[in-house]
Amino acid sequence: MKVGFGLYSHMLTKDFYRFARQCGATHVVVHLVDYTAGSSASGANQQPVGDTGGWGVAGTGRERWSLESLLRLKRELAEEGLTLEAIENFDPADWYDILLDGPHREEQMTHLKKVVQTVGEAGIPILGYNFSLAGVASRTTGPFARGGAQSVAMTEVDERPLPRGMVWNMVYDREAYGDGSVAEPRATVSHDELWRRLTGFLEELVPVAEAAGVRLAAHPDDPPAARVRGTPRLVYRPDLYQKLIDAVPSRSNGLEFCLGTIAEMADGDLYDAVDTYARQGAIAYVHFRNVHGKVPQYHETFIDEGDIDFSRVVRILERNGFDGMLIPDHAPDMTCDAPWHAGMAFAMGYISALLQSQGVKR
């Protein structure tokens, strides 16, 4: 297995590359979308939580997706001993009408096909995504982890409808959004309708990914409630991952397997899910994040103190021949001058020691 590290768009610098390598990472997942553009959280190291106004404004930094930029990024990472293994998430500005089934769907599908082709041409094997209307929402932060460390929690489902001009928890149309006070209820969108949209998306994009040598990897809904902000969710139970991969059977239709999110699910067994999907070879890469509790009430913990037995997870992955990448996802902030760095270093050290103790080849 490979030990990886996730880097947000503002972290694509030599200092962060060296920090990742010093923590033991050999592979990297990068986020090219600037999730906090235009918000007060801009440049924060942790994934944003957002409120009714979401994370930030979509559509900035599109130059990062060019072939020239991707090849330059690969070279810069390689110079620091790191391999660019995956890109995580499309920019909501590039596929909002695919999610919403709006008038620009066809041109946006054409654009995403070009994105996948470019990623393949750059030699990047995995492209993660999350097919969601509300995105990552209904969360808060506080001193929820051991010793009062700052971490993320869910205390209730956010029922407030999304404002106009927002999807995936980001603003894609500033004019429609305005001051965010006008809601656009989407309660009429059913789960079946959202699955229809996803299936159409996969039917068009998976063949392009196959030809490009790219593996699409779907993240489950985080948090995994059946509906959030008045919109349906797709993968809020472990068995729904099977529905997704069966929709268009292909190695290029894979899973971005977030252990923390699956552990948060109200139904299903985490270890059965790991075994089921690892046995099928469906897992593209794995997020290591620990939690305590389940929707609608849970909180994220340090990697060694939550509900997940990661030793058991690694044994299951090893038994099924998984040789992909593990990354620590996000971790609690520790009380020091570098809260994010300390939390991530702790998680990376735990993962490395766990693999070594299990005799897993890296």
Side-chain angles (χ1 to χ4, degrees):
M1 299 181 206
K2 310 161 186 172
V3 177
F5 203 93
L7 294 172
Y8 294 123
S9 60
H10 72 278
M11 297 177 175
L12 302 181
T13 67
K14 185 172 291 187
D15 283 349
F16 280 103
Y17 304 158
R18 290 183 173 175
F19 175 71
R21 188 69 190 97
Q22 289 162 12
C23 284
T26 55
H27 292 69
V28 167
V29 179
V30 301
H31 298 250
L32 300 182
V33 181
D34 183 355
Y35 302 125
T36 59
S39 78
S40 60
S42 182
N45 288 339
Q46 285 287 13
Q47 184 188 74
V49 173
D51 50 23
T52 54
W55 286 0
V57 178
T60 64
R62 282 195 169 106
E63 69 281 353
R64 301 188 190 106
W65 294 86
S66 71
L67 178 59
E68 180 182 2
S69 293
L70 294 178
L71 291 174
R72 181 171 60 250
L73 180 57
K74 279 189 69 177
R75 288 194 302 270
E76 291 173 352
L77 287 164
E79 288 171 359
E80 302 301 331
L82 296 166
T83 299
L84 178 49
E85 184 78 356
I87 298 172
E88 195 161 310
N89 293 327
F90 296 114
D91 192 316
D94 292 336
W95 71 320
Y96 59 86
D97 265 353
I98 295 171
L99 298 169
L100 299 172
D101 198 29
H104 301 291
R105 181 191 181 280
E106 294 309 314
E107 65 187 81
Q108 290 182 355
M109 280 301 309
T110 298
H111 176 73
L112 288 198
K113 291 174 185 178
K114 291 178 181 177
V115 168
V116 171
Q117 290 167 341
T118 301
V119 169
E121 192 174 349
I124 302 167
I126 302 171
L127 183 52
Y129 70 97
N130 178 211
F131 201 99
S132 174
L133 301 183
V136 181
S138 286
R139 304 186 310 164
T140 187
T141 57
F144 305 122
R146 182 175 57 223
Q150 290 286 316
S151 72
V152 172
M154 180 184 188
T155 57
E156 61 183 354
V157 175
D158 188 348
E159 304 284 2
R160 295 169 294 184
L162 294 172
R164 290 180 183 173
M166 178 184 289
V167 76
W168 210 83
N169 215 18
M170 294 188 72
V171 175
Y172 68 86
D173 185 335
R174 295 192 197 198
E175 184 176 350
Y177 178 78
D179 63 0
S181 62
V182 181
E184 186 171 346
R186 297 189 174 100
T188 56
V189 179
S190 67
H191 285 92
D192 286 344
E193 168 60 18
L194 197 59
W195 275 102
R196 183 192 68 79
R197 296 178 191 179
L198 170 73
T199 301
F201 164 82
L202 292 173
E203 287 174 344
E204 289 195 51
L205 207 58
V206 168
V208 177
E210 290 174 336
V214 172
R215 196 170 197 195
L216 301 175
H219 194 290
D221 284 295
D222 186 10
R227 297 186 76 90
V228 170
R229 299 199 72 176
T231 67
R233 311 289 260 179
L234 286 174
V235 182
Y236 59 91
R237 301 193 314 261
D239 63 291
L240 291 172
Y241 250 158
Q242 191 66 52
K243 183 175 181 178
L244 185 149
I245 58 179
D246 286 347
V248 181
S250 169
R251 190 178 184 281
S252 287
N253 182 20
L255 308 178
E256 182 185 329
F257 207 77
C258 181
L259 294 169
T261 303
I262 296 169
E264 295 158 9
M265 294 178 178
D267 300 308
D269 181 84
L270 170 71
Y271 308 104
D272 286 346
V274 176
D275 187 57
T276 296
Y277 298 113
R279 194 176 343 113
Q280 295 178 66
I283 300 175
Y285 64 102
V286 182
H287 282 178
F288 266 47
R289 167 166 55 88
N290 218 333
V291 300
H292 180 66
K294 294 181 178 294
V295 291
Q297 294 182 329
Y298 67 84
H299 66 270
E300 297 183 7
T301 69
F302 284 104
I303 195 167
D304 66 331
E305 65 164 335
D307 297 339
I308 302 173
D309 179 349
F310 283 109
S311 294
R312 186 176 176 187
V313 169
V314 168
R315 288 195 297 271
I316 296 170
L317 291 172
E318 178 81 351
R319 183 176 69 237
N320 285 289
F322 176 76
D323 62 356
M325 178 178 56
L326 315 174
I327 72 167
D329 199 10
H330 33 96
D333 281 344
M334 299 181 74
T335 305
C336 61
D337 290 338
W340 176 87
H341 289 79
M344 293 297 284
F346 179 86
M348 288 290 289
Y350 180 92
I351 293 171
S352 295
L354 176 61
L355 296 182
Q356 188 176 47
S357 69
Q358 298 284 332
V360 176
K361 294 181 180 179
R362 293 175 55 185

